[in-house]
Amino acid sequence: MRQRNEQMHLGAFIYYTGHHHAGWRHPDSGVEQLFDIEMYKKIAQTAERGKFDMMFFADLLYVREVEYAASGMLDPITLLSALSMVTERIGLTATVSTTYNEPYNVARKFASLDYISGGRAGWNIVTSQLDLEAHNYGRPKHPEHGLRYEMASEFAGAVTSLWDTWEDDALVLDRENGKFADGSKVKEADFKGKFYSTKGPLNVPRPPQGYPVLIQAGSSEPGQDFAAQYGEVIFTAQQSIKAATRFYEQINEKLVKSGRKKGAMKIMPGLSPILGVTEEEAQRKYQELQNLIPAETAILALSGFLQYDLSGYPADGPLPTDIPDPVAASNGMKSRVKLFLEMAYEDNLSILDLGRKILSTRGHMQFVGTPEQLADLMEEWFDSYACDGFNIMPPVLPGDLEDFVNLAIPVLQKRGLFREEYTGSTLREHLGLERPELGHFKPKHELSAGV
């Protein structure tokens, strides 16, 4: 008997032409269309056919290794605005960094996307990772990890304050009496913080969803604290049901400490499935992809993540235990680096195996097997309260997303785990999230911000 009455949530995480580092090299990838709207239209319509809650575009503010790795991304807000015209129900979410943007611009862009899409917008709030990004914005160095989250908290407070500058019924549109809006219901944000200030009001009325859905993708302690303050969905990387259950409990404890209810945030770990009609077929597909990653590339990538040169160690040997603490040294994805170390030591992975595993999923859970076996895993995690759903990360696009929709979705639907039809029209309705009232997220800086 099912342990949960509700159904799981699914996001389609779109990243280059697949999440596998060498996926672009696979003959089934759409790499020739990486900058072609037609490929993304096909992907979006496939995800909507599968009744996904949302499709999600990551964003990186730099390029590197352009000779050997898929590099360069279309601006996600521009892309999602175009895709809103060829879809009807699926949520449209994108990463936008708080470190290299201004609150007014971000508030305006997402409010506009929410209007254009009819209430389907979501903002994945990140703080960026690398000095490379800082250099592109004329800054000498990427801000320190803890400082970035302090800045992000204030940034989100400024953005939500701007969305609140128009009351829901501020627009009057009275042609006869010449009254466009009720001026008493359009007010300045007058947000004054330590890092950001903005006067307002925003030049777009309050979004259809109140706020576009707020998503957070960090699992470090500062990331969790930030998510507990502002997040409504959290994307996370988890490798075991035990760790995922512990993370689920921690997040809900932090929600309560922040004055919010348990369950107020949907927790969706990444899951990268390689499916076959048989286990043998799935394993063959997996090995084909792994063989596309050169050994030197895997070792170089692992060395970069750990900030320690591993080229002098045997590739088929274990990760050394005496390397300097890479978590402390990292100014980027601290929780992900910690996860890589746990994978290496707990699973006894060689340096080469760990490097290839990282490049296949970037630390997210990978599944290789049949649709029924995948449904078993997803059902176990969901019913054990290890998650509220999954962010599906196809290794090769567009084919692996089509496989998931054609093969896995029907199994999940048959088990009652996932919707057969959309029942709402907005992303909030898909996720079962309330439409926020004015001032729903009170900024920590509200005393100095005048809100």
Side-chain angles (χ1 to χ4, degrees), residues 299-311 313 319-320 322-324 326:
I299 295 169
L300 181 63
L302 180 58
S303 297
F305 272 115
L306 302 183
Q307 298 189 46
Y308 187 79
D309 185 5
L310 296 166
S311 60
Y313 293 84
L319 187 70
D322 58 348
I323 61 177

Side-chain angles (χ1 to χ4, degrees), residues 387-407:
C387 66
D388 296 305
F390 297 89
N391 211 16
I392 302 301
M393 303 166 55
V396 179
L397 285 167
D400 284 338
L401 179 62
E402 293 172 355
D403 283 351
F404 185 87
V405 169
N406 294 336
L407 302 175

Side-chain angles (χ1 to χ4, degrees), residues 197-234:
S197 297
T198 182
K199 190 173 182 63
L202 191 64
N203 60 351
V204 181
R206 196 159 193 258
Q209 294 186 102
Y211 305 155
V213 173
L214 301 179
I215 303 167
Q216 207 275 330
S219 298
S220 66
E221 196 70 23
Q224 291 184 41
D225 290 339
F226 175 76
Q229 184 186 1
Y230 283 107
E232 296 174 292
V233 177
I234 186 166

Side-chain angles (χ1 to χ4, degrees), residues 231 417 431:
L417 288 163
L431 292 167

Side-chain angles (χ1 to χ4, degrees), residues 23-290:
W24 70 272
R25 298 180 60 194
H26 195 278
D28 292 338
S29 86
V31 68
E32 290 81 7
Q33 293 183 295
L34 183 57
F35 304 103
D36 186 338
I37 186 65
E38 293 302 318
M39 182 182 78
Y40 296 103
K41 284 169 59 177
K42 180 179 180 181
I43 288 171
Q45 290 167 345
T46 297
E48 187 165 68
R49 176 167 60 85
K51 313 305 178 186
F52 276 78
D53 293 67
M54 59 185 154
M55 63 185 305
F56 162 55
F57 283 92
D59 193 28
L60 300 175
L61 303 177
Y62 62 91
V63 294
R64 63 179 179 182
E65 301 172 353
V66 294
E67 289 190 38
Y68 310 108
S71 300
M73 292 178 167
L74 296 176
D75 175 76
I77 299 293
T78 305
L79 182 55
L80 289 175
S81 296
L83 295 179
S84 72
M85 298 294 97
V86 296
T87 55
E88 296 180 356
R89 297 290 190 91
I90 192 166
L92 304 171
T93 67
T95 291
V96 171
S97 171
T98 57
T99 307
Y100 301 110
N101 281 287
E102 288 294 330
Y104 195 93
N105 290 346
V106 171
R108 186 187 189 199
K109 287 177 184 292
F110 277 101
S112 298
L113 179 60
D114 210 40
Y115 272 103
I116 291 168
S117 65
R120 294 187 281 143
W123 172 25
N124 180 44
I125 308 170
V126 303
T127 65
S128 294
Q129 306 172 34
L130 305 174
D131 287 346
L132 284 173
E133 294 164 286
H135 300 162
N136 287 338
Y137 287 84
R139 305 181 192 180
K141 187 172 179 58
H142 193 45
E144 182 272 330
H145 187 265
L147 174 61
R148 295 202 309 273
Y149 276 104
E150 184 181 354
M151 295 168 66
S153 176
E154 189 175 292
F155 192 108
V159 169
T160 54
S161 296
L162 286 165
W163 286 331
D164 284 340
T165 54
W166 293 64
E167 295 185 24
D168 288 320
D169 58 351
L171 282 175
V172 177
L173 306 179
D174 185 346
R175 289 187 175 90
E176 184 176 346
N177 295 303
K179 189 170 185 178
F180 180 78
D182 184 341
S184 68
K185 296 183 178 182
V186 181
K187 301 175 182 178
E188 295 175 350
D190 195 25
F191 186 99
K192 296 182 178 68
K194 180 179 177 182
F195 306 102
Y196 304 101
S197 297
T198 182
K199 190 173 182 63
L202 191 64
N203 60 351
V204 181
R206 196 159 193 258
Q209 294 186 102
Y211 305 155
V213 173
L214 301 179
I215 303 167
Q216 207 275 330
S219 298
S220 66
E221 196 70 23
Q224 291 184 41
D225 290 339
F226 175 76
Q229 184 186 1
Y230 283 107
E232 296 174 292
V233 177
I234 186 166
F235 295 153
T236 178
Q238 303 292 335
Q239 286 287 329
S240 71
I241 191 169
K242 181 179 178 181
T245 303
R246 184 169 61 248
F247 180 81
Y248 194 99
E249 293 170 350
Q250 289 173 346
I251 289 295
N252 278 287
E253 289 170 0
K254 287 181 179 293
L255 282 172
V256 173
K257 289 181 181 178
S258 295
R260 300 173 64 193
K261 296 179 181 178
K262 284 187 176 182
M265 183 159 48
K266 307 301 179 184
I267 300 171
M268 299 174 65
L271 172 58
S272 186
I274 297 177
L275 295 175
V277 176
T278 64
E279 288 185 58
E280 292 75 18
E281 180 187 356
Q283 287 292 340
R284 176 184 56 76
K285 292 168 68 174
Y286 168 73
Q287 202 55 55
E288 282 179 1
L289 280 171
Q290 293 302 87

